[in-house]
Amino acid sequence: MPLLELINVKKDYMKGETVIPALRGVDLLIEKGDFLSIVGPSGSGKSTLLNIIGCIDTPTEGSVLYDGTDLSELNDKEKTRYRKENISFIFQSFNLIPVLTARENVELPLIIEKKFNKEEIHDKVSNIIEIVGLEDMADRFPRELSGGQEQRVAIARALVKNPLVVLADEPTANLDSEMSEDIISVMQKMNEEIHTTFIFSTHDPLVQKHAERVIILRDGLIASDERKNHGHAD
Amino acid sequence: MSFIQKFAFRNVGRNKRRSILAVISVTLSIMLIVFLQGFVGGFLDNLVHNYTKNETGHIRIATNQFEEKAKFNPVTENIKDPDRILQTISQNEEINKNIRIMTKRIVFGVLLSHDGNNKAALAYAGDPKKEKELLMLNNSILPGGRYIENENETIIGKQLAEDLNYELGDEINVLTQGSDYALHLKKFKIVGLFETGLGMYDEKLFQIPLISAQELLRMPGETQQIIIMLNNYHDSDMVAEQIDNLLMDNEIAVSPWSKIGTYYFYVEMAAQIYGWYYIVIAFLGAFIIANIMMMVVLERRKEIGIIKSLGFSNKQVLSMFVFEGMILGFIGSIIGSLIGVGIVTILHYHGLDFSKMLSSIDMPLSSIVYFRLNVLNIVTAILLGTVVSTVISFIPSRRAEKMKIVDSLKSV
Ligand SMILES: Nc1ncnc2c1ncn2[C@@H]1O[C@H](COP(=O)(O)OP(=O)(O)O)[C@@H](O)[C@H]1O
Ligand SMILES: [Mg+2]
């Protein structure tokens, strides 16, 4: 069974009287461990698609199945739990809570989960901070970090609870190309090592070339879905 | 400290100027409340003090028959053996330690006539020494006169004297019914005129020695009332009951001032009305918190979206903001009450002079109001400020709670 299955997902927004179709019937299967990039020009529906998968937005029509469960059948509490247990988000910018240090930001998902004691949280957080290469920055506040460092913290925070799926909406949009490649390679490393499923949107060709699978979205429809078979050769 | 609390504390420190503004608004309102509590309390204490010392005492002992007709001041329903009662009470240490002054007093109405003028007047007969601490007319004697020193002397209200064409040194004829129901006459020499500024005294009252009144009224050794002043008038009910149990006399009524007439009712009502004022003032102070919190919530929309997407429940988001409002309210309340207590403490010892404002009020009041200093009031003010701020923070916090994640994420 695929991890995620989107069946004829449509999403309309209303702007006054006019209907804006953001997604016009998307069918998509996502397997566990996918490293998938959604590419498309601005306004093509990338964010809308990610939000619907992450269950923070609902489709106007069609359904999203997670592990066979239809997300539209969940109530608010169950949706919160679904997100808490399975999904992590990384946004384009302003991901971090400004009054919390890098370390505290990364701790957040574990504190909310209430599954671990203080020591376990500390170990897990230290570990992930090391993986993203921010040991020296852990006690800094977001305003004391560069854009790239902030996104690394956001990745660490997304990964610390070991989610099944990480949804990243243009995570490199505000970074220069060097930093962008850097961020993507961190994500790639996590994907290879712990098989976290990554779904990220971008309109940056540099970033896109790292993805194993590239979906091109145009006007709310999937224009192409290519799986590179480079895995071992690259 | 839970994570949510830590988060809220950090957020309070985030925009210092705005937090300070919120705190100041609560500080000011709580300061005002503590000040008003001190003033109103002091004012009521002042009213009660003056009323009781002139009228009923904190506790009045009289016969049951007198109590029934008290407003007519009858001189026919007297305590036969007041000295035995005084002795019994002063020998009881438990009761005596609460008592400041205990004295006999006879009050009766007479019609005074002179030079063809008639005036209804009220005679106050007591121990001249003790009345210096009760009626205190010795403080209001006009130049040329003096206070009562001997039998058959009187001091008389200035207006009353004028109305009757009396002058210092004249003798007044007091013709009245005695305890034997017969009419008796006695002359009193005017040794002083007094002017208290209060019409109710200056126009009506004259003071004579108890012993002369006993002679006039044919009631030697007897008294109409025993007036007791306590160290603290709030103990009146308790001490009255103790005395009643001690005396065990069915003929004698021991009444705390709160059970005599309607005065207590008005004092209580005033205290309650001000209680409502305090709540209103607290809400006004907290209203600014609500506004500031509303700005805060709108400003942090994106952040609210992020923490919700991390799995924060709506309830947790709500409690985070409510807690933030509570912190602001608590800090403001503490500072406000500290400053307020400082001011009230000074005015508790030094008093505030209201003579200009009070001169037009025809009520027995001392012109200097000593503010009431009460720990319970201060605790109430802090609680009030904190609770009201917390409650009012629910309004903006609900807004944060209800925000949809997608909508808040889209706002940058
Ligand atoms: N809340 C909204 N209200 C109205 N229209 C919206 C809203 N969100 C997105 N849209 C529209 O939906 C389309 C897709 O938007 P989006 O998913 O953000 O695209 P992308 O992320 O690829 O730039 C765009 O035309 C956008 O204007
Ligand atoms: Mg977008």
mmCIF file of all heavy atoms in Angstrom, chain A residues 13 51 56-57 80 83-84 89 91 93-95 97-100 104 108 111-112 157, chain B residues 3 6-7 10-11 14 302-303 306-313 316 405-406 409-410 412:
data_model
loop_
_atom_site.group_PDB
_atom_site.id
_atom_site.type_symbol
_atom_site.label_atom_id
_atom_site.label_comp_id
_atom_site.label_asym_id
_atom_site.label_seq_id
_atom_site.Cartn_x
_atom_site.Cartn_y
_atom_site.Cartn_z
ATOM 1 N N TYR A 13 -10.707 28.117 -4.530
ATOM 2 C CA TYR A 13 -10.773 29.242 -3.594
ATOM 3 C C TYR A 13 -11.786 30.224 -4.123
ATOM 4 O O TYR A 13 -11.974 30.356 -5.337
ATOM 5 C CB TYR A 13 -9.415 29.930 -3.469
ATOM 6 C CG TYR A 13 -8.386 29.129 -2.693
ATOM 7 C CD1 TYR A 13 -7.287 28.578 -3.346
ATOM 8 C CD2 TYR A 13 -8.517 28.946 -1.321
ATOM 9 C CE1 TYR A 13 -6.335 27.853 -2.643
ATOM 10 C CE2 TYR A 13 -7.575 28.223 -0.618
ATOM 11 C CZ TYR A 13 -6.486 27.682 -1.274
ATOM 12 O OH TYR A 13 -5.562 26.968 -0.578
ATOM 13 N N ASN A 51 -0.386 21.656 1.677
ATOM 14 C CA ASN A 51 -1.275 21.902 2.820
ATOM 15 C C ASN A 51 -2.356 20.842 2.943
ATOM 16 O O ASN A 51 -2.737 20.436 4.040
ATOM 17 C CB ASN A 51 -1.920 23.288 2.703
ATOM 18 C CG ASN A 51 -0.909 24.407 2.942
ATOM 19 O OD1 ASN A 51 0.177 24.154 3.479
ATOM 20 N ND2 ASN A 51 -1.250 25.614 2.529
ATOM 21 N N ILE A 56 -3.734 20.552 6.848
ATOM 22 C CA ILE A 56 -4.059 21.855 7.409
ATOM 23 C C ILE A 56 -4.980 22.604 6.447
ATOM 24 O O ILE A 56 -5.382 23.725 6.715
ATOM 25 C CB ILE A 56 -2.800 22.705 7.741
ATOM 26 C CG1 ILE A 56 -1.900 22.886 6.534
ATOM 27 C CG2 ILE A 56 -2.027 22.069 8.880
ATOM 28 C CD1 ILE A 56 -0.686 23.750 6.818
ATOM 29 N N ASP A 57 -5.322 21.962 5.352
ATOM 30 C CA ASP A 57 -6.326 22.505 4.439
ATOM 31 C C ASP A 57 -7.126 21.310 3.926
ATOM 32 O O ASP A 57 -6.634 20.176 3.958
ATOM 33 C CB ASP A 57 -5.654 23.256 3.276
ATOM 34 C CG ASP A 57 -6.537 24.377 2.736
ATOM 35 O OD1 ASP A 57 -7.725 24.426 3.115
ATOM 36 O OD2 ASP A 57 -6.028 25.205 1.954
ATOM 37 N N THR A 80 -5.329 16.975 14.385
ATOM 38 C CA THR A 80 -4.182 17.449 15.165
ATOM 39 C C THR A 80 -3.266 16.281 15.511
ATOM 40 O O THR A 80 -2.049 16.370 15.423
ATOM 41 C CB THR A 80 -4.666 18.144 16.463
ATOM 42 O OG1 THR A 80 -5.556 19.187 16.113
ATOM 43 C CG2 THR A 80 -3.502 18.721 17.246
ATOM 44 N N ARG A 83 -1.284 15.065 12.461
ATOM 45 C CA ARG A 83 -0.127 15.918 12.203
ATOM 46 C C ARG A 83 0.962 15.692 13.236
ATOM 47 O O ARG A 83 2.145 15.554 12.903
ATOM 48 C CB ARG A 83 -0.549 17.397 12.259
ATOM 49 C CG ARG A 83 -1.267 17.886 11.048
ATOM 50 C CD ARG A 83 -1.269 19.404 11.011
ATOM 51 N NE ARG A 83 -1.904 19.974 12.197
ATOM 52 C CZ ARG A 83 -3.197 20.234 12.282
ATOM 53 N NH1 ARG A 83 -3.991 19.988 11.257
ATOM 54 N NH2 ARG A 83 -3.709 20.751 13.379
ATOM 55 N N LYS A 84 0.537 15.631 14.478
ATOM 56 C CA LYS A 84 1.497 15.521 15.565
ATOM 57 C C LYS A 84 2.320 14.240 15.423
ATOM 58 O O LYS A 84 3.527 14.231 15.666
ATOM 59 C CB LYS A 84 0.727 15.529 16.901
ATOM 60 C CG LYS A 84 1.550 15.877 18.085
ATOM 61 C CD LYS A 84 0.709 16.444 19.219
ATOM 62 C CE LYS A 84 -0.051 15.343 19.945
ATOM 63 N NZ LYS A 84 -0.810 15.887 21.091
ATOM 64 N N PHE A 89 6.352 19.993 9.195
ATOM 65 C CA PHE A 89 6.356 21.039 8.170
ATOM 66 C C PHE A 89 7.640 21.861 8.213
ATOM 67 O O PHE A 89 8.186 22.132 9.281
ATOM 68 C CB PHE A 89 5.193 22.016 8.390
ATOM 69 C CG PHE A 89 3.845 21.419 8.192
ATOM 70 C CD1 PHE A 89 3.182 20.813 9.247
ATOM 71 C CD2 PHE A 89 3.225 21.461 6.951
ATOM 72 C CE1 PHE A 89 1.923 20.270 9.076
ATOM 73 C CE2 PHE A 89 1.960 20.915 6.770
ATOM 74 C CZ PHE A 89 1.308 20.321 7.839
ATOM 75 N N PHE A 91 8.583 25.577 6.421
ATOM 76 C CA PHE A 91 8.050 26.608 5.547
ATOM 77 C C PHE A 91 9.167 27.425 4.932
ATOM 78 O O PHE A 91 10.345 27.286 5.273
ATOM 79 C CB PHE A 91 7.080 27.501 6.317
ATOM 80 C CG PHE A 91 5.962 26.722 6.946
ATOM 81 C CD1 PHE A 91 5.963 26.441 8.307
ATOM 82 C CD2 PHE A 91 4.921 26.230 6.174
ATOM 83 C CE1 PHE A 91 4.945 25.712 8.889
ATOM 84 C CE2 PHE A 91 3.895 25.489 6.747
ATOM 85 C CZ PHE A 91 3.907 25.226 8.099
ATOM 86 N N SER A 93 9.893 30.607 5.151
ATOM 87 C CA SER A 93 10.635 31.517 6.027
ATOM 88 C C SER A 93 9.876 31.689 7.328
ATOM 89 O O SER A 93 8.745 31.221 7.462
ATOM 90 C CB SER A 93 10.796 32.879 5.359
ATOM 91 O OG SER A 93 9.514 33.387 5.053
ATOM 92 N N PHE A 94 10.486 32.373 8.281
ATOM 93 C CA PHE A 94 9.874 32.592 9.597
ATOM 94 C C PHE A 94 9.350 31.308 10.203
ATOM 95 O O PHE A 94 8.258 31.246 10.726
ATOM 96 C CB PHE A 94 8.740 33.629 9.510
ATOM 97 C CG PHE A 94 9.166 34.932 8.938
ATOM 98 C CD1 PHE A 94 8.684 35.351 7.701
ATOM 99 C CD2 PHE A 94 10.074 35.732 9.607
ATOM 100 C CE1 PHE A 94 9.085 36.561 7.165
ATOM 101 C CE2 PHE A 94 10.468 36.951 9.071
ATOM 102 C CZ PHE A 94 9.982 37.357 7.842
ATOM 103 N N ASN A 95 10.150 30.251 10.081
ATOM 104 C CA ASN A 95 9.749 28.975 10.652
ATOM 105 C C ASN A 95 9.859 28.940 12.157
ATOM 106 O O ASN A 95 9.156 28.207 12.818
ATOM 107 C CB ASN A 95 10.671 27.880 10.120
ATOM 108 C CG ASN A 95 10.162 27.285 8.852
ATOM 109 O OD1 ASN A 95 9.115 26.668 8.858
ATOM 110 N ND2 ASN A 95 10.880 27.489 7.768
ATOM 111 N N ILE A 97 10.245 30.068 16.206
ATOM 112 C CA ILE A 97 9.613 30.932 17.192
ATOM 113 C C ILE A 97 10.706 31.853 17.748
ATOM 114 O O ILE A 97 11.685 31.386 18.325
ATOM 115 C CB ILE A 97 9.015 30.094 18.343
ATOM 116 C CG1 ILE A 97 8.104 28.991 17.801
ATOM 117 C CG2 ILE A 97 8.290 30.987 19.344
ATOM 118 C CD1 ILE A 97 6.918 29.481 17.028
ATOM 119 N N PRO A 98 10.529 33.156 17.551
ATOM 120 C CA PRO A 98 11.617 34.086 17.860
ATOM 121 C C PRO A 98 12.036 34.127 19.331
ATOM 122 O O PRO A 98 13.176 34.467 19.629
ATOM 123 C CB PRO A 98 11.080 35.448 17.423
ATOM 124 C CG PRO A 98 9.652 35.261 17.149
ATOM 125 C CD PRO A 98 9.380 33.822 16.934
ATOM 126 N N VAL A 99 11.114 33.809 20.242
ATOM 127 C CA VAL A 99 11.479 33.913 21.663
ATOM 128 C C VAL A 99 12.140 32.638 22.196
ATOM 129 O O VAL A 99 12.492 32.565 23.361
ATOM 130 C CB VAL A 99 10.267 34.254 22.561
ATOM 131 C CG1 VAL A 99 9.813 35.670 22.312
ATOM 132 C CG2 VAL A 99 9.144 33.257 22.365
ATOM 133 N N LEU A 100 12.281 31.649 21.323
ATOM 134 C CA LEU A 100 12.916 30.403 21.755
ATOM 135 C C LEU A 100 14.260 30.245 21.055
ATOM 136 O O LEU A 100 14.416 30.623 19.893
ATOM 137 C CB LEU A 100 12.025 29.205 21.432
ATOM 138 C CG LEU A 100 10.616 29.218 22.025
ATOM 139 C CD1 LEU A 100 9.843 27.984 21.601
ATOM 140 C CD2 LEU A 100 10.666 29.321 23.541
ATOM 141 N N GLU A 104 15.599 25.164 21.829
ATOM 142 C CA GLU A 104 14.216 25.122 22.316
ATOM 143 C C GLU A 104 13.219 24.946 21.180
ATOM 144 O O GLU A 104 12.203 24.266 21.322
ATOM 145 C CB GLU A 104 13.896 26.400 23.096
ATOM 146 C CG GLU A 104 14.545 26.435 24.477
ATOM 147 C CD GLU A 104 14.528 27.802 25.122
ATOM 148 O OE1 GLU A 104 14.398 28.819 24.382
ATOM 149 O OE2 GLU A 104 14.677 27.861 26.347
ATOM 150 N N LEU A 108 10.499 21.640 20.719
ATOM 151 C CA LEU A 108 9.032 21.799 20.699
ATOM 152 C C LEU A 108 8.228 20.541 20.362
ATOM 153 O O LEU A 108 7.364 20.135 21.132
ATOM 154 C CB LEU A 108 8.647 22.918 19.725
ATOM 155 C CG LEU A 108 8.537 24.327 20.268
ATOM 156 C CD1 LEU A 108 8.145 25.291 19.160
ATOM 157 C CD2 LEU A 108 7.478 24.381 21.359
ATOM 158 N N ILE A 111 8.289 18.040 23.151
ATOM 159 C CA ILE A 111 7.546 18.463 24.346
ATOM 160 C C ILE A 111 6.053 18.253 24.132
ATOM 161 O O ILE A 111 5.343 17.770 25.008
ATOM 162 C CB ILE A 111 7.857 19.938 24.664
ATOM 163 C CG1 ILE A 111 9.291 20.055 25.197
ATOM 164 C CG2 ILE A 111 6.879 20.493 25.692
ATOM 165 C CD1 ILE A 111 9.805 21.464 25.302
ATOM 166 N N ILE A 112 5.606 18.601 22.930
ATOM 167 C CA ILE A 112 4.177 18.434 22.643
ATOM 168 C C ILE A 112 3.782 16.964 22.682
ATOM 169 O O ILE A 112 2.710 16.606 23.151
ATOM 170 C CB ILE A 112 3.838 19.044 21.271
ATOM 171 C CG1 ILE A 112 4.072 20.558 21.310
ATOM 172 C CG2 ILE A 112 2.409 18.746 20.887
ATOM 173 C CD1 ILE A 112 4.097 21.188 19.947
ATOM 174 N N ARG A 157 14.118 20.568 13.594
ATOM 175 C CA ARG A 157 12.849 20.509 14.318
ATOM 176 C C ARG A 157 11.865 19.567 13.625
ATOM 177 O O ARG A 157 11.119 18.848 14.267
ATOM 178 C CB ARG A 157 12.237 21.909 14.439
ATOM 179 C CG ARG A 157 11.031 21.933 15.349
ATOM 180 C CD ARG A 157 10.445 23.310 15.466
ATOM 181 N NE ARG A 157 9.966 23.791 14.180
ATOM 182 C CZ ARG A 157 9.569 25.046 13.963
ATOM 183 N NH1 ARG A 157 9.632 25.930 14.937
ATOM 184 N NH2 ARG A 157 9.144 25.414 12.781
ATOM 185 N N PHE B 3 5.928 24.190 29.787
ATOM 186 C CA PHE B 3 6.465 24.837 28.610
ATOM 187 C C PHE B 3 5.629 26.043 28.196
ATOM 188 O O PHE B 3 6.159 27.093 27.825
ATOM 189 C CB PHE B 3 6.532 23.828 27.465
ATOM 190 C CG PHE B 3 6.959 24.455 26.199
ATOM 191 C CD1 PHE B 3 8.287 24.772 25.999
ATOM 192 C CD2 PHE B 3 6.033 24.804 25.238
ATOM 193 C CE1 PHE B 3 8.690 25.401 24.850
ATOM 194 C CE2 PHE B 3 6.426 25.434 24.087
ATOM 195 C CZ PHE B 3 7.761 25.726 23.890
ATOM 196 N N LYS B 6 6.476 28.987 30.245
ATOM 197 C CA LYS B 6 7.779 29.549 29.870
ATOM 198 C C LYS B 6 7.646 30.397 28.595
ATOM 199 O O LYS B 6 8.141 31.516 28.510
ATOM 200 C CB LYS B 6 8.781 28.404 29.637
ATOM 201 C CG LYS B 6 10.155 28.884 29.197
ATOM 202 C CD LYS B 6 11.181 27.782 29.288
ATOM 203 C CE LYS B 6 11.361 27.095 27.950
ATOM 204 N NZ LYS B 6 12.362 26.022 27.997
ATOM 205 N N PHE B 7 6.922 29.817 27.672
ATOM 206 C CA PHE B 7 6.672 30.475 26.394
ATOM 207 C C PHE B 7 5.984 31.825 26.634
ATOM 208 O O PHE B 7 6.408 32.867 26.102
ATOM 209 C CB PHE B 7 5.756 29.553 25.582
ATOM 210 C CG PHE B 7 5.866 29.733 24.098
ATOM 211 C CD1 PHE B 7 5.330 28.765 23.254
ATOM 212 C CD2 PHE B 7 6.484 30.829 23.535
ATOM 213 C CE1 PHE B 7 5.417 28.899 21.889
ATOM 214 C CE2 PHE B 7 6.569 30.970 22.169
ATOM 215 C CZ PHE B 7 6.025 30.008 21.348
ATOM 216 N N ARG B 10 8.336 34.426 28.112
ATOM 217 C CA ARG B 10 9.236 34.989 27.105
ATOM 218 C C ARG B 10 8.494 35.991 26.222
ATOM 219 O O ARG B 10 9.022 37.037 25.881
ATOM 220 C CB ARG B 10 9.788 33.867 26.218
ATOM 221 C CG ARG B 10 10.636 32.873 26.964
ATOM 222 C CD ARG B 10 12.118 33.125 26.736
ATOM 223 N NE ARG B 10 12.899 32.104 27.394
ATOM 224 C CZ ARG B 10 13.428 31.052 26.762
ATOM 225 N NH1 ARG B 10 13.273 30.918 25.452
ATOM 226 N NH2 ARG B 10 14.112 30.153 27.426
ATOM 227 N N ASN B 11 7.264 35.648 25.894
ATOM 228 C CA ASN B 11 6.505 36.536 25.022
ATOM 229 C C ASN B 11 6.211 37.870 25.680
ATOM 230 O O ASN B 11 6.150 38.900 25.022
ATOM 231 C CB ASN B 11 5.200 35.870 24.588
ATOM 232 C CG ASN B 11 5.415 34.953 23.391
ATOM 233 O OD1 ASN B 11 6.266 35.221 22.549
ATOM 234 N ND2 ASN B 11 4.671 33.871 23.332
ATOM 235 N N ARG B 14 8.921 40.258 25.134
ATOM 236 C CA ARG B 14 9.265 40.388 23.731
ATOM 237 C C ARG B 14 9.167 41.812 23.219
ATOM 238 O O ARG B 14 10.088 42.339 22.620
ATOM 239 C CB ARG B 14 8.290 39.517 22.962
ATOM 240 C CG ARG B 14 8.605 39.352 21.543
ATOM 241 C CD ARG B 14 7.907 38.107 21.126
ATOM 242 N NE ARG B 14 7.798 37.987 19.715
ATOM 243 C CZ ARG B 14 7.110 37.020 19.139
ATOM 244 N NH1 ARG B 14 6.478 36.146 19.880
ATOM 245 N NH2 ARG B 14 7.057 36.941 17.843
ATOM 246 N N LYS B 302 1.295 34.251 12.102
ATOM 247 C CA LYS B 302 2.162 33.266 11.448
ATOM 248 C C LYS B 302 2.683 32.258 12.476
ATOM 249 O O LYS B 302 2.682 31.045 12.246
ATOM 250 C CB LYS B 302 3.319 34.015 10.791
ATOM 251 C CG LYS B 302 4.398 33.120 10.247
ATOM 252 C CD LYS B 302 4.232 32.856 8.777
ATOM 253 C CE LYS B 302 5.244 31.798 8.352
ATOM 254 N NZ LYS B 302 5.377 31.634 6.939
ATOM 255 N N GLU B 303 3.111 32.800 13.601
ATOM 256 C CA GLU B 303 3.637 31.957 14.665
ATOM 257 C C GLU B 303 2.584 31.005 15.205
ATOM 258 O O GLU B 303 2.871 29.849 15.508
ATOM 259 C CB GLU B 303 4.041 32.892 15.796
ATOM 260 C CG GLU B 303 5.414 32.702 16.283
ATOM 261 C CD GLU B 303 5.717 33.801 17.266
ATOM 262 O OE1 GLU B 303 5.946 34.927 16.804
ATOM 263 O OE2 GLU B 303 5.690 33.526 18.471
ATOM 264 N N ILE B 306 2.356 28.243 12.929
ATOM 265 C CA ILE B 306 3.478 27.309 13.033
ATOM 266 C C ILE B 306 3.336 26.399 14.247
ATOM 267 O O ILE B 306 3.473 25.182 14.136
ATOM 268 C CB ILE B 306 4.814 28.083 13.068
ATOM 269 C CG1 ILE B 306 5.128 28.565 11.650
ATOM 270 C CG2 ILE B 306 5.950 27.191 13.575
ATOM 271 C CD1 ILE B 306 6.282 29.518 11.561
ATOM 272 N N ILE B 307 3.015 26.963 15.397
ATOM 273 C CA ILE B 307 2.925 26.075 16.565
ATOM 274 C C ILE B 307 1.738 25.133 16.439
ATOM 275 O O ILE B 307 1.797 23.999 16.892
ATOM 276 C CB ILE B 307 2.909 26.839 17.914
ATOM 277 C CG1 ILE B 307 1.756 27.800 17.996
ATOM 278 C CG2 ILE B 307 4.222 27.555 18.163
ATOM 279 C CD1 ILE B 307 1.666 28.442 19.372
ATOM 280 N N LYS B 308 0.701 25.597 15.764
ATOM 281 C CA LYS B 308 -0.417 24.664 15.563
ATOM 282 C C LYS B 308 -0.013 23.547 14.605
ATOM 283 O O LYS B 308 -0.399 22.389 14.783
ATOM 284 C CB LYS B 308 -1.652 25.400 15.034
ATOM 285 C CG LYS B 308 -2.419 26.137 16.108
ATOM 286 C CD LYS B 308 -3.729 26.693 15.552
ATOM 287 C CE LYS B 308 -4.476 27.437 16.629
ATOM 288 N NZ LYS B 308 -5.720 28.055 16.085
ATOM 289 N N SER B 309 0.767 23.910 13.585
ATOM 290 C CA SER B 309 1.186 22.872 12.636
ATOM 291 C C SER B 309 2.157 21.896 13.297
ATOM 292 O O SER B 309 2.318 20.768 12.858
ATOM 293 C CB SER B 309 1.810 23.495 11.385
ATOM 294 O OG SER B 309 3.104 23.980 11.676
ATOM 295 N N LEU B 310 2.802 22.340 14.387
ATOM 296 C CA LEU B 310 3.682 21.425 15.115
ATOM 297 C C LEU B 310 2.893 20.468 15.999
ATOM 298 O O LEU B 310 3.449 19.525 16.543
ATOM 299 C CB LEU B 310 4.636 22.223 16.013
ATOM 300 C CG LEU B 310 5.783 22.951 15.324
ATOM 301 C CD1 LEU B 310 6.500 23.841 16.307
ATOM 302 C CD2 LEU B 310 6.743 21.956 14.710
ATOM 303 N N GLY B 311 1.619 20.740 16.146
ATOM 304 C CA GLY B 311 0.784 19.838 16.932
ATOM 305 C C GLY B 311 0.255 20.444 18.220
ATOM 306 O O GLY B 311 -0.353 19.757 19.025
ATOM 307 N N PHE B 312 0.474 21.731 18.413
ATOM 308 C CA PHE B 312 -0.164 22.414 19.538
ATOM 309 C C PHE B 312 -1.673 22.352 19.338
ATOM 310 O O PHE B 312 -2.174 22.622 18.248
ATOM 311 C CB PHE B 312 0.237 23.896 19.554
ATOM 312 C CG PHE B 312 1.356 24.213 20.492
ATOM 313 C CD1 PHE B 312 2.629 23.774 20.209
ATOM 314 C CD2 PHE B 312 1.148 24.962 21.631
ATOM 315 C CE1 PHE B 312 3.680 24.082 21.059
ATOM 316 C CE2 PHE B 312 2.186 25.268 22.486
ATOM 317 C CZ PHE B 312 3.455 24.826 22.207
ATOM 318 N N SER B 313 -2.387 22.007 20.403
ATOM 319 C CA SER B 313 -3.844 22.004 20.280
ATOM 320 C C SER B 313 -4.346 23.437 20.417
ATOM 321 O O SER B 313 -3.647 24.310 20.923
ATOM 322 C CB SER B 313 -4.460 21.130 21.358
ATOM 323 O OG SER B 313 -4.293 21.739 22.621
ATOM 324 N N GLN B 316 -4.169 24.625 23.900
ATOM 325 C CA GLN B 316 -2.847 25.038 24.369
ATOM 326 C C GLN B 316 -2.523 26.453 23.897
ATOM 327 O O GLN B 316 -1.944 27.244 24.642
ATOM 328 C CB GLN B 316 -1.778 24.058 23.878
ATOM 329 C CG GLN B 316 -1.803 22.742 24.633
ATOM 330 C CD GLN B 316 -0.895 21.698 24.010
ATOM 331 O OE1 GLN B 316 -0.918 21.480 22.800
ATOM 332 N NE2 GLN B 316 -0.102 21.044 24.839
ATOM 333 N N ILE B 405 -5.066 27.209 10.557
ATOM 334 C CA ILE B 405 -3.621 27.148 10.309
ATOM 335 C C ILE B 405 -3.250 27.748 8.956
ATOM 336 O O ILE B 405 -2.372 28.595 8.864
ATOM 337 C CB ILE B 405 -3.102 25.702 10.379
ATOM 338 C CG1 ILE B 405 -3.374 25.124 11.771
ATOM 339 C CG2 ILE B 405 -1.610 25.652 10.085
ATOM 340 C CD1 ILE B 405 -2.922 23.694 11.929
ATOM 341 N N VAL B 406 -3.938 27.320 7.896
ATOM 342 C CA VAL B 406 -3.580 27.833 6.562
ATOM 343 C C VAL B 406 -3.656 29.329 6.487
ATOM 344 O O VAL B 406 -2.778 29.983 5.932
ATOM 345 C CB VAL B 406 -4.498 27.295 5.421
ATOM 346 C CG1 VAL B 406 -3.755 26.310 4.571
ATOM 347 C CG2 VAL B 406 -5.789 26.759 5.949
ATOM 348 N N LEU B 409 -0.805 30.944 8.347
ATOM 349 C CA LEU B 409 0.485 30.742 7.687
ATOM 350 C C LEU B 409 0.658 31.666 6.493
ATOM 351 O O LEU B 409 1.760 32.071 6.155
ATOM 352 C CB LEU B 409 0.632 29.290 7.227
ATOM 353 C CG LEU B 409 0.902 28.274 8.342
ATOM 354 C CD1 LEU B 409 0.885 26.874 7.769
ATOM 355 C CD2 LEU B 409 2.218 28.556 9.029
ATOM 356 N N LYS B 410 -0.476 31.982 5.844
ATOM 357 C CA LYS B 410 -0.378 32.810 4.647
ATOM 358 C C LYS B 410 -0.091 34.259 4.977
ATOM 359 O O LYS B 410 0.313 35.029 4.113
ATOM 360 C CB LYS B 410 -1.671 32.702 3.832
ATOM 361 C CG LYS B 410 -1.618 31.518 2.893
ATOM 362 C CD LYS B 410 -2.918 31.286 2.179
ATOM 363 C CE LYS B 410 -2.862 29.940 1.471
ATOM 364 N NZ LYS B 410 -4.184 29.402 1.187
ATOM 365 N N VAL B 412 2.082 36.953 6.318
ATOM 366 C CA VAL B 412 3.463 37.188 6.759
ATOM 367 C C VAL B 412 3.627 38.683 6.981
ATOM 368 O O VAL B 412 3.123 39.464 6.211
ATOM 369 C CB VAL B 412 4.479 36.689 5.720
ATOM 370 C CG1 VAL B 412 5.901 36.935 6.218
ATOM 371 C CG2 VAL B 412 4.273 35.225 5.470
#
